[in-house]
Amino acid sequence: MKKLSCLSLGMLTTALLASNVQAEIIKVDGSSTVFPITEAVAEEFQIATKERVTVGVSGTGGGFKKFCRGETDISNASRPILKNEMEICAKNGIKFYELPVAFDALTVVVNKNNNFIKPLSVNHLKKVWEPAAQGKVKTWSQISSSFPNTPLKLYGPGADSGTFDYFTEAVVGKAKSSRGDYTASEDDHVIVQGLSRDKNGFGYLGYAYYIENKSKLKAVPIVNMQGKIVAPSEANVLNGSYNPLSRPIFIYVNQASLKKPEVQNFVNFYMTKSAPLIKEVKYVPLPKKAYTHNLDVIKKGKLGTVFGGEAQVGLTIEELMKREAKL
């Protein structure tokens, strides 16, 4: 057998070490809405522990596809896991914990130079986004006679986005029920770019992306379910008035992955250290007891989801914490 040179041995050792490091990477993917939170937590965790975390963005639906194939340890999600995703996870032997991590104020936005926009009701939003509007509702004046007869250019999340699922459920009344003739992307930055360049732009995205781009965008106040005009804000999320567009957002953790010390440490870090980071990236942290409850869920092995695989609108975190998870 041919002897390996010192250089070859060194290269082999490096390759083996690299493979070991690769095996220890904590893999996260999913929602672009939850991404800023998990990215911030991952950065602090890596500084504190020297462990490695990768955080991808493929949308909530895309993230669940990877998660249910066992390709990731954690999935970011801006809506609960659905029945068909649960079935795929079960088929592949993937069991999971559902952990709410923050609240988001799903935000309706227009170009910063829009000087005619007024508060919109859910019915106004439905008129724009329902499937029947496709190819028909094409001007601002069709939303309200007080708006000008100018072209309406729509931007929003793609079909793999949890924001798309939640918005369509809250506004149209059925998840994934939407017109399709709009500029769609699972990346909120793409939506921001479109809206910031188009004076006739109209769309929706996560609150943090609006706050990050306030110089380019204008938030549209909504008429809530009680008939009051409310703007997206931390205060209105906490007091429950920003409805029905206020929602909890989640991470889902693979039970098998939690056997790895680095994943267990990351989840513990997330539940105990994330609150100030969540505020920093402009989301609304949950009450401290909610994070303690999440750790208790893991400790007691309460696997599954409290939603039963169906989208639900308007639940508070207090109501969620009273439910028992089910696979």
Side-chain angles (χ1 to χ4, degrees):
M1 184 180 291
K2 187 177 179 180
K3 291 184 178 180
L4 289 170
S5 66
C6 290
L7 179 60
S8 297
L9 282 169
M11 292 173 65
L12 178 61
T13 301
T14 300
L16 288 171
L17 286 171
S19 67
N20 287 336
V21 171
Q22 186 71 20
E24 294 171 0
I25 291 176
I26 301 163
K27 297 177 182 178
V28 188
D29 207 317
S31 167
S32 63
T33 301
V34 186
F35 172 80
I37 298 174
T38 301
E39 181 189 42
V41 174
E43 288 177 355
E44 293 298 317
F45 177 74
Q46 289 176 125
I47 292 170
T49 67
K50 309 303 179 185
E51 298 284 1
R52 296 182 62 192
V53 185
T54 62
V55 187
V57 180
S58 56
T60 297
F64 276 133
K65 288 174 185 175
K66 295 180 180 181
F67 183 75
C68 292
R69 290 196 297 259
E71 297 173 7
T72 56
D73 302 300
I74 296 169
S75 203
N76 290 330
S78 60
R79 51 96 174 141
I81 191 168
L82 302 177
K83 282 183 179 178
N84 65 310
E85 293 162 340
M86 292 170 66
E87 289 169 0
I88 295 170
C89 274
K91 182 180 178 181
N92 294 327
I94 305 296
K95 296 181 179 181
F96 56 83
Y97 294 101
E98 177 184 77
L99 308 178
V101 294
F103 263 104
D104 177 33
L106 204 158
T107 306
V108 178
V109 286
V110 296
N111 183 275
K112 68 174 182 178
N113 294 318
N114 184 312
N115 58 10
F116 59 80
I117 195 68
K118 296 178 181 178
L120 298 176
S121 67
V122 169
N123 284 336
H124 283 126
L125 297 175
K126 182 178 181 180
K127 184 187 293 187
V128 175
W129 289 99
E130 65 182 345
Q134 182 160 329
K136 296 178 181 178
V137 179
K138 299 188 289 186
T139 66
W140 278 97
S141 60
Q142 288 175 278
I143 302 175
S144 170
S145 59
S146 65
F147 296 159
N149 187 28
T150 54
L152 179 66
K153 299 295 181 67
L154 299 176
Y155 299 84
D160 264 345
S161 166
T163 300
F164 171 82
D165 292 341
Y166 189 91
F167 183 85
T168 49
E169 177 75 26
V171 169
V172 181
K174 181 180 179 182
K176 297 187 181 296
S177 180
S178 173
R179 68 190 296 170
D181 55 340
Y182 69 97
T183 301
S185 176
E186 274 71 32
D187 186 345
D188 290 72
H189 290 294
V190 173
I191 301 170
V192 169
Q193 288 171 9
L195 287 164
S196 64
R197 295 169 182 168
D198 195 334
K199 65 179 182 180
N200 293 313
F202 181 54
Y204 62 96
L205 38 63
Y207 181 66
Y209 288 91
Y210 157 65
I211 290 295
E212 183 183 349
N213 297 279
K214 284 181 69 174
S215 62
K216 304 174 185 177
L217 306 174
K218 183 182 291 186
V220 181
I222 63 167
V223 180
N224 69 11
M225 304 307 288
Q226 292 74 42
K228 296 182 178 179
I229 296 173
V230 290
S233 69
E234 179 178 346
N236 287 340
V237 169
L238 288 172
N239 66 29
S241 66
Y242 191 71
N243 61 67
L245 297 184
S246 177
R247 56 175 178 166
I249 53 181
F250 311 84
I251 63 171
Y252 285 75
V253 184
N254 186 321
Q255 182 195 32
S257 294
L258 269 178
K259 295 178 182 178
K260 297 187 285 188
E262 62 271 19
V263 175
Q264 189 177 103
N265 291 339
F266 179 67
V267 172
N268 286 337
F269 188 92
Y270 208 128
M271 294 305 117
T272 57
K273 306 290 186 181
S274 64
L277 299 173
I278 290 168
K279 287 183 70 72
E280 192 174 303
V281 297
K282 308 307 179 186
Y283 286 103
V284 181
L286 304 180
K288 184 177 180 180
K289 63 181 179 180
Y291 300 109
T292 302
H293 175 78
N294 284 343
L295 291 173
D296 194 51
V297 163
I298 293 173
K299 184 178 179 180
K300 294 181 178 178
K302 295 181 178 179
L303 295 161
T305 172
V306 301
F307 290 91
E310 297 179 356
Q312 296 181 38
V313 173
L315 287 176
T316 67
I317 195 61
E318 296 290 340
E319 292 168 333
L320 292 182
M321 289 167 59
K322 294 175 182 178
R323 296 186 175 198
E324 289 296 321
K326 298 178 181 179
L327 281 172

